[in-house]
Amino acid sequence: MSGLGFQVSMVDGNARRGQLTTAHGTAETPAFMAVGTAATVKGLTVEQVAASGTEIVLGNTYHLMLRPSAERIARLGGLHRFMNWHGPILTDSGGYQVMSLSALRKIDEKGVTFSSHIDGTKHALTPERAVEIQHLLDSNITMVLDECTPFPVEEDEAERSMERSMRWAARCKEAFTARDGYGLFGIVQGSVYPALREASAKALTAIGFDGYAIGGLAVGEGQELMLSTLEATVPFLPLDRPRYLMGVGKPSDLVAAVLRGVDMFDCVLPTRSGRTGQAFTHRGTLNIRNSRHQDDPRPLDQDCACPTCGNYSRAYLHHLFRNGEMLGPILLTGHNLHYYQSLMAGLRKAIEDREILAFADTFTRTQAEGDIAPL
Amino acid sequence: MSGLGFQVSMVDGNARRGQLTTAHGTAETPAFMAVGTAATVKGLTVEQVAASGTEIVLGNTYHLMLRPSAERIARLGGLHRFMNWHGPILTDSGGYQVMSLSALRKIDEKGVTFSSHIDGTKHALTPERAVEIQHLLDSNITMVLDECTPFPVEEDEAERSMERSMRWAARCKEAFTARDGYGLFGIVQGSVYPALREASAKALTAIGFDGYAIGGLAVGEGQELMLSTLEATVPFLPLDRPRYLMGVGKPSDLVAAVLRGVDMFDCVLPTRSGRTGQAFTHRGTLNIRNSRHQDDPRPLDQDCACPTCGNYSRAYLHHLFRNGEMLGPILLTGHNLHYYQSLMAGLRKAIEDREILAFADTFTRTQAEGDIAPL
């Protein structure tokens, strides 16, 4: 029996409406996880994160192992208590950040060694250590250590890398301490090669995990190739376990991936964009730094129920960004995360109503309208 | 009849317990006003500002006239609506910031011209324009334009400057549109010279204002000289009107000034310190960046009821600052403002109980204990 509960209550085409249950509560799926890299969703209090509709938060093993260290967080009572987020937490394995952030990295069958991007100190990450770190963090959902291939990559190199990731996945399963309300997810690799994706999905299913992630996408291949790879992967994953598309994505990516049977997502886009001035709305994106907003008394999104849209004008948000005031990123991040979560809530409702295709059509048409005209 | 209600309900020695009533609600006095320079209390949402116990917020004419401009805020419905703070707002006149921030300033009997510290554009500020700007902002409490002399300054120069400020005060009174729930405060000048302070207080009282500020202090003269100047000023101010000590100060300054009859304060210290890592506690100050806090599971202040102290360890706050996470300044600013407001609440209660001297003694003794020992 799995450590994590997962119930699919309704399907509409390939889209699934479900519930994921952990020792720290339940997340309705399809779910968007807010990224809380260094034990904080950048710019927001946990109360604001919860108010956005977020039910599950992601922490980064790579960042947390370097600072403040997994052992320190364990001594302080685990990540939930440390960051005061008492809902479900998923942690990545650190593999992706080792590749994208660290210097002097060396990878072999045993694992990866690298130098910290913060202070140059040397660190090692093996499948066993990645699982141990996530255990120390008290993460509800542990991700296996994998190697994320860049894009593009030759098929034979992608195959060798995927096969190593599968061996690492088996070692992670071995190292993982099964316990109620906690689980371990495998990660499908294989770049954009359907045969490799199928082989990877089957290899993971044979090992047996609490959930299955699709990794190695959203690394520059573009939406079309991402979706076709998804279509070549999902059919080989178990029906009764959650599917998590890692690091994705734009609102249109979420809609398209839900249509293809994905249950979970994470992405820095709503929070990072919130800090740089880009807002997501029902009518596409806008940049609040643009001077067209400086006298505009209207909210970012007239169809949004978030506190930012309820209380603040575009003119005020523009003013805050123009002056470098912290409140600008705070209010915009809150809005963006709320927008993402309301999109997920809309997708969940559409699946319940078996209207997912109509929902997706309306979404696409409304997004294409573009921002409201200036006053 | 004054546009602002002010009731003194209890006195204990020179300390006064009162209520200041404006068109946007009431503030209990002695009151600490949170500084909201550019239409935002840096780092906090208005909900967090209110949750700290703050009842009145200060805006800066100098900053707001430059960006986004008073006319723009007026078109957008005034400062309360612009920044979503629906409680009382006091605005300074801009005089102090012209002196401390702008370049190429020129002052004469008419007013002051200066170049913006942001983009070098030329601006003029006269007593009449300062009042007009604050009217456009819809500020509940307008401050007269004055000249704030530096410290030290020769007595004859301080006298000439003070007398000009008094003529400007009369012009401000003339320019001010009296209306219910709104008021105009005069500002006593005269540096640290008792005779000048007395003359200034009497000149302002003769003109007649809704409240009386004491300006030109906390500019480097030190606490002792500040307090003796206060003692040489307050006796010449009307009993039935609020007294506001501008730009002050440290917690010990607030206690000492309340003992000497001051009703209102503002200072950037709790918010600015919150951004740099300095925390105010019942046992003095501490710097959360110090590595002694990195494993400390205890709150900043064990006697504090704020959300930061209720939910977060010193170790977590240290981690946030160490990583440059926005949430560090957010949580520390929230705590500091809460500390200031709980100090004011303690002072108000002590006056009601006629125990202000005992309160001040306990405050001084506890502060002197210094931070708790490391674990």
Side-chain angles (χ1 to χ4, degrees), chain A residues 96-145:
Chain A
Y96 181 82
Q97 280 79 22
V98 166
M99 295 302 150
S100 59
L101 292 177
S102 73
L104 301 173
R105 57 186 179 274
K106 198 168 83 46
I107 187 163
D108 60 22
E109 188 62 24
K110 192 162 172 237
V112 56
T113 56
F114 62 94
S115 296
S116 160
H117 74 290
I118 301 169
D119 57 10
T121 50
K122 282 255 201 173
H123 297 268
L125 201 54
T126 61
E128 293 76 15
R129 177 62 181 157
V131 168
E132 181 186 23
I133 288 172
Q134 294 174 81
H135 194 134
L136 286 164
L137 296 174
D138 197 30
S139 172
N140 296 105
I141 304 178
T142 292
M143 300 303 298
V144 300
L145 185 68

Tab-separated table of all heavy atoms in Angstrom, chain A residues 96-145:
chain	number	residue	atom	x	y	z
A	96	TYR	N	18.445	18.815	-10.845
A	96	TYR	CA	18.286	19.843	-11.867
A	96	TYR	C	19.125	21.088	-11.546
A	96	TYR	O	19.801	21.642	-12.421
A	96	TYR	CB	16.804	20.211	-11.997
A	96	TYR	CG	16.522	21.258	-13.042
A	96	TYR	CD1	16.419	20.916	-14.388
A	96	TYR	CD2	16.364	22.594	-12.688
A	96	TYR	CE1	16.163	21.871	-15.349
A	96	TYR	CE2	16.117	23.567	-13.644
A	96	TYR	CZ	16.012	23.203	-14.974
A	96	TYR	OH	15.764	24.154	-15.921
A	97	GLN	N	19.094	21.523	-10.275
A	97	GLN	CA	19.854	22.723	-9.901
A	97	GLN	C	21.359	22.486	-9.922
A	97	GLN	O	22.127	23.404	-10.194
A	97	GLN	CB	19.428	23.248	-8.518
A	97	GLN	CG	18.154	24.077	-8.529
A	97	GLN	CD	16.912	23.220	-8.592
A	97	GLN	OE1	16.941	22.047	-8.231
A	97	GLN	NE2	15.818	23.790	-9.066
A	98	VAL	N	21.775	21.265	-9.581
A	98	VAL	CA	23.206	20.974	-9.689
A	98	VAL	C	23.668	21.244	-11.120
A	98	VAL	O	24.710	21.853	-11.355
A	98	VAL	CB	23.509	19.507	-9.295
A	98	VAL	CG1	24.920	19.116	-9.737
A	98	VAL	CG2	23.366	19.305	-7.801
A	99	MET	N	22.849	20.821	-12.087
A	99	MET	CA	23.217	21.001	-13.492
A	99	MET	C	23.143	22.460	-13.915
A	99	MET	O	23.960	22.931	-14.691
A	99	MET	CB	22.284	20.167	-14.397
A	99	MET	CG	22.429	18.667	-14.197
A	99	MET	SD	24.138	18.103	-14.485
A	99	MET	CE	24.224	16.696	-13.375
A	100	SER	N	22.155	23.193	-13.418
A	100	SER	CA	21.933	24.547	-13.940
A	100	SER	C	22.647	25.624	-13.128
A	100	SER	O	22.947	26.686	-13.651
A	100	SER	CB	20.431	24.851	-13.996
A	100	SER	OG	19.851	24.745	-12.714
A	101	LEU	N	22.952	25.378	-11.849
A	101	LEU	CA	23.492	26.447	-11.012
A	101	LEU	C	24.934	26.246	-10.568
A	101	LEU	O	25.667	27.210	-10.417
A	101	LEU	CB	22.620	26.621	-9.751
A	101	LEU	CG	21.210	27.161	-9.965
A	101	LEU	CD1	20.476	27.188	-8.631
A	101	LEU	CD2	21.248	28.550	-10.589
A	102	SER	N	25.325	25.021	-10.311
A	102	SER	CA	26.620	24.819	-9.678
A	102	SER	C	27.755	24.798	-10.698
A	102	SER	O	27.531	24.633	-11.895
A	102	SER	CB	26.619	23.512	-8.887
A	102	SER	OG	26.645	22.419	-9.774
A	103	ALA	N	28.957	24.946	-10.204
A	103	ALA	CA	30.130	24.913	-11.068
A	103	ALA	C	30.909	23.626	-10.794
A	103	ALA	O	30.678	22.946	-9.805
A	103	ALA	CB	31.010	26.124	-10.783
A	104	LEU	N	31.835	23.299	-11.682
A	104	LEU	CA	32.760	22.191	-11.479
A	104	LEU	C	32.057	20.890	-11.139
A	104	LEU	O	32.518	20.137	-10.296
A	104	LEU	CB	33.754	22.539	-10.338
A	104	LEU	CG	34.610	23.790	-10.548
A	104	LEU	CD1	35.388	24.094	-9.279
A	104	LEU	CD2	35.556	23.584	-11.720
A	105	ARG	N	30.917	20.655	-11.759
A	105	ARG	CA	30.185	19.436	-11.419
A	105	ARG	C	30.776	18.235	-12.168
A	105	ARG	O	31.233	18.358	-13.303
A	105	ARG	CB	28.711	19.601	-11.732
A	105	ARG	CG	28.429	19.958	-13.153
A	105	ARG	CD	26.956	20.242	-13.369
A	105	ARG	NE	26.735	20.599	-14.759
A	105	ARG	CZ	26.861	21.818	-15.245
A	105	ARG	NH1	27.179	22.828	-14.452
A	105	ARG	NH2	26.679	22.059	-16.528
A	106	LYS	N	30.755	17.112	-11.502
A	106	LYS	CA	31.282	15.875	-12.082
A	106	LYS	C	30.263	14.784	-11.785
A	106	LYS	O	29.828	14.618	-10.650
A	106	LYS	CB	32.635	15.530	-11.451
A	106	LYS	CG	33.467	14.526	-12.263
A	106	LYS	CD	34.891	14.437	-11.753
A	106	LYS	CE	35.145	13.544	-10.565
A	106	LYS	NZ	34.616	12.233	-10.448
A	107	ILE	N	29.845	14.103	-12.825
A	107	ILE	CA	28.794	13.104	-12.656
A	107	ILE	C	29.340	11.734	-13.035
A	107	ILE	O	30.041	11.595	-14.041
A	107	ILE	CB	27.547	13.483	-13.489
A	107	ILE	CG1	26.372	12.549	-13.201
A	107	ILE	CG2	27.845	13.543	-14.968
A	107	ILE	CD1	25.037	13.121	-13.660
A	108	ASP	N	29.099	10.740	-12.203
A	108	ASP	CA	29.442	9.364	-12.551
A	108	ASP	C	28.361	8.435	-12.002
A	108	ASP	O	27.335	8.914	-11.504
A	108	ASP	CB	30.844	8.989	-12.039
A	108	ASP	CG	30.963	9.118	-10.533
A	108	ASP	OD1	29.920	9.082	-9.829
A	108	ASP	OD2	32.089	9.263	-10.040
A	109	GLU	N	28.585	7.172	-12.107
A	109	GLU	CA	27.547	6.227	-11.713
A	109	GLU	C	27.136	6.400	-10.250
A	109	GLU	O	25.975	6.193	-9.883
A	109	GLU	CB	28.028	4.794	-11.973
A	109	GLU	CG	26.974	3.723	-11.785
A	109	GLU	CD	25.776	3.857	-12.734
A	109	GLU	OE1	25.913	4.455	-13.823
A	109	GLU	OE2	24.675	3.385	-12.365
A	110	LYS	N	28.103	6.790	-9.432
A	110	LYS	CA	27.832	6.913	-8.001
A	110	LYS	C	26.884	8.073	-7.703
A	110	LYS	O	25.995	7.976	-6.857
A	110	LYS	CB	29.174	7.127	-7.288
A	110	LYS	CG	29.067	6.990	-5.795
A	110	LYS	CD	30.425	6.752	-5.122
A	110	LYS	CE	30.222	6.830	-3.615
A	110	LYS	NZ	31.059	7.837	-2.970
A	111	GLY	N	27.096	9.180	-8.401
A	111	GLY	CA	26.271	10.364	-8.154
A	111	GLY	C	26.946	11.581	-8.750
A	111	GLY	O	27.641	11.474	-9.765
A	112	VAL	N	26.771	12.730	-8.106
A	112	VAL	CA	27.333	13.942	-8.664
A	112	VAL	C	28.086	14.703	-7.571
A	112	VAL	O	27.656	14.732	-6.416
A	112	VAL	CB	26.216	14.805	-9.316
A	112	VAL	CG1	25.116	15.123	-8.329
A	112	VAL	CG2	26.752	16.071	-9.938
A	113	THR	N	29.235	15.245	-7.919
A	113	THR	CA	29.933	16.159	-7.017
A	113	THR	C	29.941	17.528	-7.680
A	113	THR	O	29.950	17.639	-8.907
A	113	THR	CB	31.388	15.720	-6.753
A	113	THR	OG1	32.054	15.607	-8.002
A	113	THR	CG2	31.430	14.381	-6.025
A	114	PHE	N	29.900	18.565	-6.863
A	114	PHE	CA	29.809	19.919	-7.434
A	114	PHE	C	30.293	20.950	-6.430
A	114	PHE	O	30.448	20.666	-5.237
A	114	PHE	CB	28.360	20.222	-7.834
A	114	PHE	CG	27.395	20.197	-6.670
A	114	PHE	CD1	27.065	21.367	-5.990
A	114	PHE	CD2	26.820	18.998	-6.254
A	114	PHE	CE1	26.181	21.342	-4.924
A	114	PHE	CE2	25.939	18.967	-5.184
A	114	PHE	CZ	25.619	20.139	-4.518
A	115	SER	N	30.516	22.145	-6.944
A	115	SER	CA	30.875	23.278	-6.088
A	115	SER	C	29.668	24.182	-5.939
A	115	SER	O	28.989	24.497	-6.912
A	115	SER	CB	32.020	24.076	-6.717
A	115	SER	OG	33.172	23.275	-6.792
A	116	SER	N	29.417	24.593	-4.732
A	116	SER	CA	28.294	25.483	-4.421
A	116	SER	C	28.387	26.773	-5.217
A	116	SER	O	29.456	27.370	-5.316
A	116	SER	CB	28.312	25.807	-2.929
A	116	SER	OG	27.567	26.974	-2.658
A	117	HIS	N	27.252	27.234	-5.769
A	117	HIS	CA	27.247	28.512	-6.480
A	117	HIS	C	27.324	29.675	-5.500
A	117	HIS	O	27.506	30.820	-5.898
A	117	HIS	CB	25.989	28.633	-7.349
A	117	HIS	CG	24.733	28.893	-6.582
A	117	HIS	ND1	24.147	27.944	-5.764
A	117	HIS	CD2	23.961	30.005	-6.469
A	117	HIS	CE1	23.062	28.452	-5.211
A	117	HIS	NE2	22.924	29.692	-5.622
A	118	ILE	N	27.181	29.391	-4.218
A	118	ILE	CA	27.199	30.462	-3.213
A	118	ILE	C	28.622	30.750	-2.762
A	118	ILE	O	29.078	31.888	-2.787
A	118	ILE	CB	26.334	30.085	-1.986
A	118	ILE	CG1	24.894	29.824	-2.421
A	118	ILE	CG2	26.406	31.168	-0.922
A	118	ILE	CD1	24.037	29.190	-1.327
A	119	ASP	N	29.332	29.703	-2.356
A	119	ASP	CA	30.650	29.937	-1.761
A	119	ASP	C	31.734	28.993	-2.283
A	119	ASP	O	32.843	28.978	-1.753
A	119	ASP	CB	30.558	29.825	-0.234
A	119	ASP	CG	30.012	28.466	0.207
A	119	ASP	OD1	29.897	27.560	-0.655
A	119	ASP	OD2	29.708	28.315	1.397
A	120	GLY	N	31.402	28.212	-3.326
A	120	GLY	CA	32.435	27.366	-3.923
A	120	GLY	C	32.757	26.096	-3.154
A	120	GLY	O	33.585	25.301	-3.616
A	121	THR	N	32.132	25.891	-1.998
A	121	THR	CA	32.416	24.673	-1.230
A	121	THR	C	31.998	23.442	-2.035
A	121	THR	O	31.071	23.482	-2.830
A	121	THR	CB	31.656	24.670	0.115
A	121	THR	OG1	30.277	24.967	-0.133
A	121	THR	CG2	32.230	25.717	1.061
A	122	LYS	N	32.716	22.318	-1.792
A	122	LYS	CA	32.464	21.067	-2.510
A	122	LYS	C	31.365	20.260	-1.832
A	122	LYS	O	31.315	20.185	-0.590
A	122	LYS	CB	33.755	20.228	-2.511
A	122	LYS	CG	34.774	20.698	-3.519
A	122	LYS	CD	34.781	19.712	-4.686
A	122	LYS	CE	36.064	19.766	-5.480
A	122	LYS	NZ	36.073	18.687	-6.484
A	123	HIS	N	30.503	19.673	-2.635
A	123	HIS	CA	29.423	18.846	-2.101
A	123	HIS	C	29.229	17.629	-2.985
A	123	HIS	O	29.558	17.657	-4.174
A	123	HIS	CB	28.112	19.634	-2.049
A	123	HIS	CG	28.174	20.810	-1.145
A	123	HIS	ND1	27.808	20.766	0.176
A	123	HIS	CD2	28.610	22.076	-1.368
A	123	HIS	CE1	27.986	21.952	0.726
A	123	HIS	NE2	28.476	22.769	-0.187
A	124	ALA	N	28.665	16.584	-2.396
A	124	ALA	CA	28.337	15.380	-3.165
A	124	ALA	C	26.863	15.078	-2.997
A	124	ALA	O	26.277	15.324	-1.936
A	124	ALA	CB	29.167	14.205	-2.675
A	125	LEU	N	26.271	14.591	-4.072
A	125	LEU	CA	24.869	14.199	-4.022
A	125	LEU	C	24.752	12.850	-4.718
A	125	LEU	O	25.063	12.731	-5.905
A	125	LEU	CB	24.027	15.263	-4.729
A	125	LEU	CG	22.535	15.346	-4.398
A	125	LEU	CD1	22.287	15.490	-2.905
A	125	LEU	CD2	21.922	16.518	-5.143
A	126	THR	N	24.361	11.850	-3.948
A	126	THR	CA	24.105	10.524	-4.513
A	126	THR	C	22.610	10.275	-4.419
A	126	THR	O	21.899	11.008	-3.722
A	126	THR	CB	24.838	9.441	-3.704
A	126	THR	OG1	24.324	9.473	-2.360
A	126	THR	CG2	26.336	9.678	-3.674
A	127	PRO	N	22.098	9.263	-5.075
A	127	PRO	CA	20.676	8.935	-4.907
A	127	PRO	C	20.333	8.741	-3.432
A	127	PRO	O	19.300	9.239	-2.960
A	127	PRO	CB	20.543	7.629	-5.705
A	127	PRO	CG	21.589	7.729	-6.775
A	127	PRO	CD	22.745	8.432	-6.124
A	128	GLU	N	21.207	8.042	-2.715
A	128	GLU	CA	20.926	7.771	-1.306
A	128	GLU	C	20.935	9.059	-0.479
A	128	GLU	O	20.091	9.258	0.400
A	128	GLU	CB	21.970	6.793	-0.747
A	128	GLU	CG	21.905	5.387	-1.344
A	128	GLU	CD	22.503	5.281	-2.761
A	128	GLU	OE1	23.214	6.210	-3.189
A	128	GLU	OE2	22.232	4.265	-3.439
A	129	ARG	N	21.909	9.929	-0.781
A	129	ARG	CA	21.988	11.183	-0.014
A	129	ARG	C	20.806	12.093	-0.350
A	129	ARG	O	20.268	12.769	0.527
A	129	ARG	CB	23.318	11.886	-0.322
A	129	ARG	CG	23.511	13.245	0.341
A	129	ARG	CD	23.525	13.195	1.861
A	129	ARG	NE	23.704	14.546	2.430
A	129	ARG	CZ	23.338	14.891	3.655
A	129	ARG	NH1	22.787	14.007	4.482
A	129	ARG	NH2	23.526	16.120	4.092
A	130	ALA	N	20.378	12.109	-1.605
A	130	ALA	CA	19.231	12.944	-1.983
A	130	ALA	C	17.985	12.512	-1.205
A	130	ALA	O	17.203	13.350	-0.733
A	130	ALA	CB	18.982	12.861	-3.490
A	131	VAL	N	17.808	11.210	-1.054
A	131	VAL	CA	16.660	10.702	-0.296
A	131	VAL	C	16.807	11.040	1.193
A	131	VAL	O	15.850	11.456	1.851
A	131	VAL	CB	16.515	9.175	-0.506
A	131	VAL	CG1	15.524	8.574	0.488
A	131	VAL	CG2	16.069	8.893	-1.937
A	132	GLU	N	18.038	10.901	1.685
A	132	GLU	CA	18.281	11.196	3.103
A	132	GLU	C	18.001	12.671	3.404
A	132	GLU	O	17.377	13.007	4.417
A	132	GLU	CB	19.737	10.856	3.449
A	132	GLU	CG	20.066	11.112	4.925
A	132	GLU	CD	21.546	10.903	5.236
A	132	GLU	OE1	22.387	10.998	4.306
A	132	GLU	OE2	21.855	10.652	6.420
A	133	ILE	N	18.473	13.552	2.521
A	133	ILE	CA	18.243	14.987	2.731
A	133	ILE	C	16.746	15.274	2.793
A	133	ILE	O	16.260	15.979	3.688
A	133	ILE	CB	18.894	15.816	1.596
A	133	ILE	CG1	20.414	15.811	1.752
A	133	ILE	CG2	18.364	17.247	1.595
A	133	ILE	CD1	21.156	16.433	0.572
A	134	GLN	N	15.997	14.696	1.865
A	134	GLN	CA	14.563	14.975	1.828
A	134	GLN	C	13.845	14.381	3.040
A	134	GLN	O	12.858	14.922	3.523
A	134	GLN	CB	13.976	14.483	0.493
A	134	GLN	CG	14.540	15.293	-0.682
A	134	GLN	CD	14.107	14.756	-2.043
A	134	GLN	OE1	13.004	15.032	-2.500
A	134	GLN	NE2	14.969	13.993	-2.690
A	135	HIS	N	14.396	13.283	3.550
A	135	HIS	CA	13.869	12.715	4.796
A	135	HIS	C	14.139	13.679	5.960
A	135	HIS	O	13.252	13.950	6.786
A	135	HIS	CB	14.514	11.352	5.054
A	135	HIS	CG	13.806	10.545	6.107
A	135	HIS	ND1	13.504	9.228	5.960
A	135	HIS	CD2	13.324	10.879	7.334
A	135	HIS	CE1	12.872	8.772	7.035
A	135	HIS	NE2	12.769	9.770	7.881
A	136	LEU	N	15.353	14.206	6.004
A	136	LEU	CA	15.695	15.173	7.056
A	136	LEU	C	14.793	16.408	6.986
A	136	LEU	O	14.409	16.975	8.005
A	136	LEU	CB	17.163	15.602	6.922
A	136	LEU	CG	18.206	14.575	7.363
A	136	LEU	CD1	19.589	14.948	6.828
A	136	LEU	CD2	18.235	14.454	8.896
A	137	LEU	N	14.458	16.809	5.776
A	137	LEU	CA	13.580	17.976	5.608
A	137	LEU	C	12.148	17.650	6.026
A	137	LEU	O	11.342	18.548	6.228
A	137	LEU	CB	13.598	18.438	4.141
A	137	LEU	CG	14.947	18.942	3.596
A	137	LEU	CD1	14.829	19.229	2.101
A	137	LEU	CD2	15.414	20.182	4.345
A	138	ASP	N	11.832	16.352	6.116
A	138	ASP	CA	10.473	15.883	6.426
A	138	ASP	C	9.510	16.188	5.279
A	138	ASP	O	8.325	16.489	5.478
A	138	ASP	CB	9.962	16.499	7.731
A	138	ASP	CG	8.753	15.736	8.285
A	138	ASP	OD1	8.671	14.512	8.052
A	138	ASP	OD2	7.889	16.373	8.923
A	139	SER	N	10.042	16.094	4.070
A	139	SER	CA	9.235	16.347	2.881
A	139	SER	C	8.177	15.261	2.699
A	139	SER	O	8.460	14.076	2.846
A	139	SER	CB	10.168	16.364	1.665
A	139	SER	OG	9.422	16.425	0.482
A	140	ASN	N	6.957	15.661	2.365
A	140	ASN	CA	5.904	14.668	2.129
A	140	ASN	C	6.136	13.889	0.853
A	140	ASN	O	5.814	12.708	0.768
A	140	ASN	CB	4.538	15.355	2.040
A	140	ASN	CG	4.161	16.018	3.335
A	140	ASN	OD1	4.218	17.239	3.452
A	140	ASN	ND2	3.826	15.229	4.340
A	141	ILE	N	6.657	14.574	-0.155
A	141	ILE	CA	6.911	13.907	-1.434
A	141	ILE	C	8.373	14.088	-1.798
A	141	ILE	O	8.840	15.213	-2.048
A	141	ILE	CB	6.007	14.451	-2.554
A	141	ILE	CG1	4.531	14.316	-2.148
A	141	ILE	CG2	6.285	13.714	-3.867
A	141	ILE	CD1	3.553	14.871	-3.153
A	142	THR	N	9.092	12.976	-1.780
A	142	THR	CA	10.507	12.946	-2.117
A	142	THR	C	10.649	12.634	-3.599
A	142	THR	O	9.972	11.740	-4.113
A	142	THR	CB	11.211	11.859	-1.279
A	142	THR	OG1	11.211	12.263	0.094
A	142	THR	CG2	12.641	11.616	-1.745
A	143	MET	N	11.503	13.353	-4.272
A	143	MET	CA	11.775	13.069	-5.685
A	143	MET	C	13.083	12.300	-5.794
A	143	MET	O	14.041	12.581	-5.061
A	143	MET	CB	11.889	14.377	-6.490
A	143	MET	CG	10.644	15.261	-6.486
A	143	MET	SD	9.123	14.466	-7.083
A	143	MET	CE	9.590	14.081	-8.775
A	144	VAL	N	13.129	11.346	-6.718
A	144	VAL	CA	14.376	10.616	-6.939
A	144	VAL	C	15.416	11.546	-7.555
A	144	VAL	O	15.076	12.524	-8.230
A	144	VAL	CB	14.171	9.401	-7.885
A	144	VAL	CG1	13.170	8.430	-7.300
A	144	VAL	CG2	13.743	9.862	-9.279
A	145	LEU	N	16.681	11.229	-7.300
A	145	LEU	CA	17.756	11.953	-7.990
A	145	LEU	C	17.807	11.454	-9.428
A	145	LEU	O	17.781	10.244	-9.682
A	145	LEU	CB	19.100	11.698	-7.301
A	145	LEU	CG	20.274	12.499	-7.876
A	145	LEU	CD1	20.116	13.990	-7.596
A	145	LEU	CD2	21.615	12.010	-7.314
